[in-house]
Amino acid sequence: MAKSLRSKWKRKMRAVKRVRYGEKERVVLEKMLDDAKASGSLKTAQDIKDDAMDTTAKSEHNHTTYKNEHGNYPKWMSQKKVDKLKKVKQTKKVNKKLSQKKKKV
């Protein structure tokens, strides 16, 4: 496909633009890098690692029930999702009772 003169010309011009804009972009990036080095705002990889956010914080909500120690759901959880979780828990409870009754009989 795409063998017409028009598409060949467009492809050629896109290649020319890529070269021209590539040079401009390189100059801008090098200038940005020099400015960062001069101002001292350029950080090394080790500095970035040291400043990294602590992600080892333990959630106070249970990861299966989403409840905290007081039985409350997280603030970010919608009421629709809370109702759904309560409904699922209730059906599990009912099924458990029914299975226990069947075992007795």
Side-chain angles (χ1 to χ4, degrees):
M1 219 171 129
K3 296 279 185 174
S4 66
L5 286 175
R6 183 171 184 226
S7 62
K8 286 180 182 177
W9 174 257
K10 288 205 173 280
R11 222 175 350 165
K12 178 184 170 191
M13 287 296 108
R14 276 198 301 268
V16 170
K17 276 186 181 179
R18 236 185 275 112
V19 171
R20 190 173 70 215
Y21 288 130
E23 291 170 358
K24 287 182 181 179
E25 187 179 9
R26 183 184 175 95
V27 170
V28 169
L29 290 173
E30 285 176 348
K31 182 182 173 205
M32 207 183 303
L33 187 64
D34 292 338
D35 291 344
K37 283 182 181 176
S39 68
S41 64
L42 190 66
K43 291 184 177 182
T44 64
Q46 189 60 38
D47 292 340
I48 293 170
K49 273 187 182 176
D50 293 341
D51 295 342
M53 192 172 90
D54 184 26
T55 58
T56 58
K58 184 123 171 124
S59 174
E60 54 191 58
H61 294 276
N62 188 329
H63 67 281
T64 53
T65 62
Y66 290 103
K67 288 183 177 183
N68 65 0
E69 70 233 21
H70 305 297
N72 299 330
Y73 289 95
K75 270 186 176 179
W76 52 263
M77 187 175 284
S78 68
Q79 193 60 41
K80 197 173 185 181
K81 178 81 171 175
V82 171
D83 293 340
K84 200 175 206 180
L85 286 172
K86 285 181 181 177
K87 188 176 179 184
V88 168
K89 186 177 178 189
Q90 184 64 29
T91 54
K92 284 183 182 179
K93 201 179 203 182
V94 168
N95 288 339
K96 188 176 178 183
K97 281 189 177 182
L98 286 175
S99 65
Q100 285 178 351
K101 279 187 178 180
K102 285 182 180 178
K103 285 182 181 178
K104 285 184 180 178
V105 173

